[in-house]
């Protein structure tokens, strides 16, 4: 049974914002839904004990200092403790308060249902037909100690529209971030979606995105997990039209006691479309990185091209990585591949670099960066690559200092 | 003149196996020495030990380089002190470009020596000049380190690295193996360009062939982990004709 502390909060249920029925449905399903545990297949790599034991009541509106944008001049859309703050944001014309449950996924596990139950002060981005919505940074500032944030964002790209979203999660409290995003990409539309987790070492994070892509549309997601104590992200992507392209790439950096978990489920409901996933993970100290990637190809989805690559690099003997690729193919004329490896730093390459005069710390950093390169190049945009590389460099430095101490 | 390199009674273990058994060798600045010998004699172990490979366990003896205890230095410090190892099997490093690798190496060495870093423009000028001399296409240097390079290209890449890093002591471990005659000539020119009054070159080779292009001052025969015979250039011919069995 669900921790009573979560069900006590009634404020959201009473909010008059058009999401009442959605919350009620979530509430009803929660009544019969247990917390996932390590024996729940989809949650075997993320231990939610802390979430169950500590009562993270939803955060109320609060003020916060907004960090400067990662990319200069990029407009910011700000969430504090899960609530969209128009007063702190540079809101474009196509953005409005979320007031309809159309296209929102309820989810079926307790964290997803709680995200639905506490969905409040959300944001809807509706980019009109043929419009380039530009690039926006969505800043999520973690709530106060012991509180939870359930930011809800709906993104709809009409035919031929395009948009780049850089979502970043910041803050340094023992709090729980539990955001959800619902994405619809119409014919020929294109969404690039970055999720950068820079939260502090004690923050808990469980997020998910439900994405539907129509014919000729493109959704390219990228997740960077650098912060957080327990970080989990699920991307559920359904390809509904031919010549669509979809994928979720990412880099996980799990140091000290961090646990990162990416779960993707790409469904090819229609044939003639491509999906690609390139995930790289670095685990150091007692860090733990996991990838569960499932690709489903429906019976009628012929000529599907689906590829998945996961590689993990363990920097210490105490670090761990898990990979669970799954292919569920019902069509017979498809090209599907997956590869997963877990290894250590290449000693020969390390020696080659140091024997040319490169100090061991720099040599290690070069090899680690090279290892992540396959995932980073998927960002294609130089500015975005640099932005992500800077965060990675920060993590690497912190890790080296931590390892030296 | 004092020795640039002075190896005394060096013994080295790799795993449980004793590979070098009291090897003694001295080189003066300006000299080119060649070490020949049958497979398993310990030639590559000697090269790797001098370069500071960490899984090689020095159990006895000493190595003095430029008056300094070489064995007390880590691999990267040895490189900065002027030691270069041309690898028998150059390593492929996907994700790291040759140019980035080489510039990082050069500036890292300069930093250790207390010299200022070279700018990107200066660096490119040096690389272009050295690459041209070794008939190495600049486009190849923009690619990942040795990835997709043929055997000959890898060896030429080693020579480009040597030319740019400009070491005092170059240890070339079978740099001639796997080269066709044109590549051998190009690589030999690279080695000869590095041959100066203030540098020394230690060639490790199986074949007489390289020594037709790079004339050594001294030839050593190595067997069972030590030098068993040393002599002038004519020793190479003798080995070629009679094999190692008689000599070693």
């Amino acid at each position: 049974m669900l921790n009573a502390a979560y069900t006590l909060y009634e404020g959201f249920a009473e909010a008059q914002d058009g999401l009442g029925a959605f919350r009620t449905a979530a509430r009803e399903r929660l009544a019969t839904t247990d917390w996932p545990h390590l024996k729940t297949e989809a949650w075997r790599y993320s231990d939610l004990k802390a979430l169950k034991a500590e009562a993270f009541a939803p955060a109320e509106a609060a003020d916060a200092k907004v960090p400067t944008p990662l990319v200069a001049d990029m407009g910011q859309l700000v969430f504090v403790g899960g609530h969209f703050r128009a007063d702190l944001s540079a809101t474009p014309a196509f953005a409005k308060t979320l007031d309809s449950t159309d296209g929102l996924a309820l989810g079926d596990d307790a964290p997803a249902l709680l995200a639905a139950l506490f969905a409040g002060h959300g944001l809807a981005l509706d980019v009109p037909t043929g419009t380039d919505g530009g690039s926006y940074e969505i800043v999520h500032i973690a709530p106060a100690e012991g509180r939870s944030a359930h930011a809800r964002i709906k993104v709809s790209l009409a035919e031929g529209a395009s948009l780049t979203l850089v979502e970043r999660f910041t803050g340094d409290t023992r709090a729980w971030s539990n955001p959800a995003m619902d994405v619809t990409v119409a014919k020929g539309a294109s969404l690039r979606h970055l999720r950068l987790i820079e939260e502090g070492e004690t923050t808990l994070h469980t997020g998910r995105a439900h994405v539907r892509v129509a014919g000729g549309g493109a959704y390219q997601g990228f997740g960077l997990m650098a912060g957080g104590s327990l970080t989990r992200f699920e991307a559920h992507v359904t390809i509904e039209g031919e010549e669509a392209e979809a994928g979720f790439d990412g880099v996980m950096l799990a140091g000290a006691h961090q646990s990162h978990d990416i779960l993707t489920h790409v469904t090819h409901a229609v044939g003639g479309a491509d999906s690609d996933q390139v995930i790289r993970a670095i685990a150091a100290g007692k860090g733990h990185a996991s990838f569960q990637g499932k690709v489903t190809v429906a019976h009628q989805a012929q000529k599907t091209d689906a590829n998945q690559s996961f590689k993990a690099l363990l920097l210490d003997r105490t670090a761990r990585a898990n990979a669970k690729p799954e292919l569920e193919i019902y069509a017979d004329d498809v090209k599907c591949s997956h590869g997963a490896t877990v290894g250590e730093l290449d000693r020969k390459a390390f020696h080659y670099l140091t024997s040319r005069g490169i100090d061991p710390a720099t040599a290690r950093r070069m090899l680690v960066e090279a290892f992540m390169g396959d995932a980073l190049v998927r960002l294609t945009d130089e500015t975005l690559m640099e932005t992500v590389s800077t965060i990675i460099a920060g993590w690497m430095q912190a890790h080296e200092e931590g390892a030296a101490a | 003149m004092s020795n640039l390199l002075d190896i005394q009674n060096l013994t080295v273990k790799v795993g449980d196996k004793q590979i070098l058994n009291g090897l003694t060798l001295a080189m003066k600045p300006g000299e080119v020495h060649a070490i020949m010998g049958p497979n398993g004699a310990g030639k590559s172990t000697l090269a790797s030990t001098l370069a500071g490979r960490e899984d090689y366990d020095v159990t006895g003896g000493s190595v003095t380089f430029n008056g300094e205890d070489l064995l007390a230095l880590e691999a990267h410090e040895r490189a900065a002190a002027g030691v270069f190892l041309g690898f028998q099997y150059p390593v492929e490093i996907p994700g790291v470009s040759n140019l980035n690798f080489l510039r990082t190496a050069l500036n890292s060495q300069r930093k250790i020596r207390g010299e200022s870093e070279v700018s990107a423009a200066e660096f490119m000028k040096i690389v272009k000049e050295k690459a041209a001399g070794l008939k190495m296409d600049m486009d190849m240097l923009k690619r990942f380190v040795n990835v997709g390079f043929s055997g000959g290209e890898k060896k030429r890449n080693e020579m480009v690295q040597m030319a740019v890093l400009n070491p005092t002591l170059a240890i070339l471990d079978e740099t001639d193996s796997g080269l066709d005659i044109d590549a051998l000539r190009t690589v030999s020119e690279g080695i000869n360009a590095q041959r100066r009054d203030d540098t020394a070159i230690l060639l490790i080779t199986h074949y007489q062939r390289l020594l037709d292009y790079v004339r050594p001052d001294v030839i050593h025969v190595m067997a069972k982990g030590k030098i068993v015979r040393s002599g002038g250039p004519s020793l190479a011919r003798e080995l070629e004709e009679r094999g190692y069995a008689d000599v070693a």
Side-chain angles (χ1 to χ4, degrees), chain B residues 97-140:
Chain B
S97 81
N98 280 293
L99 288 174
N100 178 32
F101 162 50
L102 200 44
R103 189 174 165 208
T104 307
L106 180 63
N107 280 332
S108 180
Q109 287 198 16
R110 293 179 67 91
K111 195 174 153 196
I112 295 169
R113 293 194 294 259
E115 299 164 5
S116 65
E117 293 196 350
V118 294
S119 69
E122 282 171 80
F123 171 74
M124 285 310 288
K125 196 171 157 246
I126 299 170
V127 174
K128 272 184 188 154
E129 183 200 319
K130 304 297 185 191
L134 286 148
K135 300 191 173 68
M136 182 73 136
D137 192 350
M138 278 305 283
D139 281 343
M140 289 198 75

Side-chain angles (χ1 to χ4, degrees), chain B residues 19-20 23 34-46 88 173-174 204-208 219-229 239-240 242-248:
Chain B
I19 307 288
L20 297 190
L23 184 137
I35 296 184
M36 304 183 79
N39 283 327
K43 302 188 297 294
S44 287
T45 300
L46 172 65
Q88 183 181 2
D173 190 5
E174 297 198 21
I204 291 171
T205 181
H206 268 296
Y207 308 105
Q208 150 73 28
I219 291 176
H220 306 278
V221 180
M222 192 167 166
K224 295 188 183 117
K226 52 168 114 178
I227 304 289
V228 290
R229 199 174 149 190
L239 292 168
E240 191 85 350
R242 298 168 55 193
Y244 293 118
D246 284 358
V247 189

Side-chain angles (χ1 to χ4, degrees), chain A residues 346-360 362 366-367 369-371 373-374, chain B residues 53-54 74-76 79 84-85 87 91 93-96 101 105 108-109 145-146 158 161 165:
Chain A
D346 182 346
R347 299 311 299 175
K348 279 185 182 162
F350 179 77
H351 176 61
Y352 194 61
L353 295 179
T354 55
S355 77
R356 291 290 177 260
I358 298 172
D359 66 89
T362 305
M366 286 173 79
L367 292 176
E369 282 171 5
F371 177 80
D374 295 342
Chain B
R53 210 172 120 163
E54 58 188 23
E74 288 186 56
H76 66 290
F84 177 91
L85 171 65
F87 281 65
V91 182
I93 312 182
V96 177
F101 162 50
S108 180
Q109 287 198 16
V145 177
N146 292 322
E158 293 292 287
Q161 292 171 30
L165 298 171

Side-chain angles (χ1 to χ4, degrees), chain B residues 18-35:
Chain B
Q18 190 79 36
I19 307 288
L20 297 190
N21 291 304
L23 184 137
T24 295
L25 175 75
M27 294 178 74
K28 290 190 179 358
E31 290 182 347
V32 173
H33 289 213
I35 296 184

Side-chain angles (χ1 to χ4, degrees), chain A residues 56 82 96 99 150 167 169 173 186 191 239 319 378:
Chain A
F56 291 91
K96 60 184 176 83
D99 59 2
H150 308 268
E167 262 195 296
F169 295 85
T173 50
L191 175 66
I239 295 174
R378 304 268 303 158

